[in-house]
């Protein structure tokens, strides 16, 4: 749709932030954080195919986020409507109480939303993306549109850095490490190599070779970038030195990604959805 810039546009903090490949690390961090909510992680464990098809689920989640950020208004509302319908039909059982609950409970949707956007923002800034305090608050405020797409009342969603900090303080007593949390964290840290990927020697190479160790380093950085209180829940340390080491790792990873991607043709390193959005923006800004 020519000229349709979707929810955000070229002047938004969202477009500025989501052009950064380091947000992949932020997405991983958000999954570790989300898993500390007993109901949220139970909902995923009982309804998701991530163990059988982890890369497929990752692809679908990335496609959703990419569409919300870069898609046309029609594309955004179409995919959000599909996800809301899916969630509205799903339930799970709270392993602590035996209570059955709906996946579209506002508390769960709000937790997943805040953990995701805060992880994207925190990871990017700690990796060296420069944003002013006004831009940081602006990103949270812009993302109220994404929260509303999931059925949340924007008035109930933190919209500034201070509000997010207060929200985390409020939520901590409700969070805990459950069996689902541990299994999810282990899965994220050491994901299996799909059986249908190449031959036995190829899969063994991915399991034991440098690719596996490189991913393990990325996962360890994502875990280290969690807030100190979240690291302590996982049995880790909340020391400031851990934060400084994680920041150095994230900055190094961002520089490495930038260097590697600069050698790849634009058609392979820029997602088609983003390329289409940039083309619409360019067309909209051109004199008629």
């Amino acid at each position: 749709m020519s000229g349709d810039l979707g929810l955000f546009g070229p002047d938004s903090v969202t477009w500025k932030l989501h052009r950064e490949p380091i947000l992949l690390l932020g997405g991983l961090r958000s999954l570790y954080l989300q898993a500390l909510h007993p109901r949220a992680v139970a909902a995923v464990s009982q309804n998701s195919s991530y163990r059988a098809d982890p890369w497929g689920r990752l692809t679908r989640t990335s496609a959703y986020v990419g569409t919300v950020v870069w898609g046309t208004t029609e594309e955004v509302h179409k995919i959000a409507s599909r996800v809301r319908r899916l969630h509205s039909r799903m339930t799970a059982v709270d392993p602590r109480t035996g209570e059955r609950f709906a996946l579209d409970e506002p508390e769960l949707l709000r937790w997943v939303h805040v953990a995701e956007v805060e992880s994207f923002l925190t990871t990017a800034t700690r990796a060296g993306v420069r944003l002013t305090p006004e831009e940081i608050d602006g990103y949270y405020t812009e993302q109220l549109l994404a929260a509303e797409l999931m059925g949340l009342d924007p008035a109930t969603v933190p919209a500034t850095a201070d509000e997010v900090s207060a929200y985390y303080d409020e939520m901590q007593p409700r969070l805990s490490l459950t069996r689902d949390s541990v299994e999810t964290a282990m899965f994220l840290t050491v994901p299996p190599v799909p059986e249908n990927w190449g031959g036995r020697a190829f899969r063994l190479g991915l399991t034991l070779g440098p690719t596996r160790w490189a991913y393990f380093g990325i996962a360890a950085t994502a875990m280290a970038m969690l807030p100190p209180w979240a690291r302590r829940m996982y049995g880790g340390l909340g020391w400031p030195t851990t934060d400084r080491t994680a920041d150095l790792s994230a900055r190094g990873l961002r520089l490495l990604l930038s260097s590697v991607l600069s050698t790849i043709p634009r058609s392979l390193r820029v997602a088609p959805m983003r390329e289409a959005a940039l083309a619409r923006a360019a067309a909209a800004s051109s004199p008629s």
Side-chain angles (χ1 to χ4, degrees), residues 27-47:
L28 184 57
R29 176 192 187 269
S30 77
L31 296 178
Y32 283 115
L33 191 54
Q34 289 168 16
L36 290 173
H37 191 299
R39 284 201 175 195
V41 71
V44 172
S45 296
Q46 295 173 34
N47 287 277

Side-chain angles (χ1 to χ4, degrees), residues 83-146:
V83 172
R84 284 199 308 274
R85 287 197 304 271
L86 187 65
H87 286 170
S88 69
R89 298 194 295 265
M90 291 182 173
T91 62
V93 175
D94 189 324
R96 304 163 303 172
T97 65
E99 177 189 1
R100 183 166 292 276
F101 61 92
L103 263 64
D104 56 2
E105 281 188 352
E107 178 179 323
L108 301 185
L109 296 177
R110 187 162 42 250
W111 171 252
V112 170
H113 170 81
V114 174
E116 180 178 83
V117 298
E118 184 272 327
S119 288
F120 283 153
L121 187 54
T122 297
T123 300
T125 54
R126 290 175 64 179
V129 178
R130 294 185 179 181
L131 295 176
T132 66
E134 291 75 20
E135 287 177 315
I136 289 172
D137 284 348
Y139 178 70
Y140 283 128
T141 302
E142 288 172 5
Q143 290 304 305
L144 293 180
L145 296 172

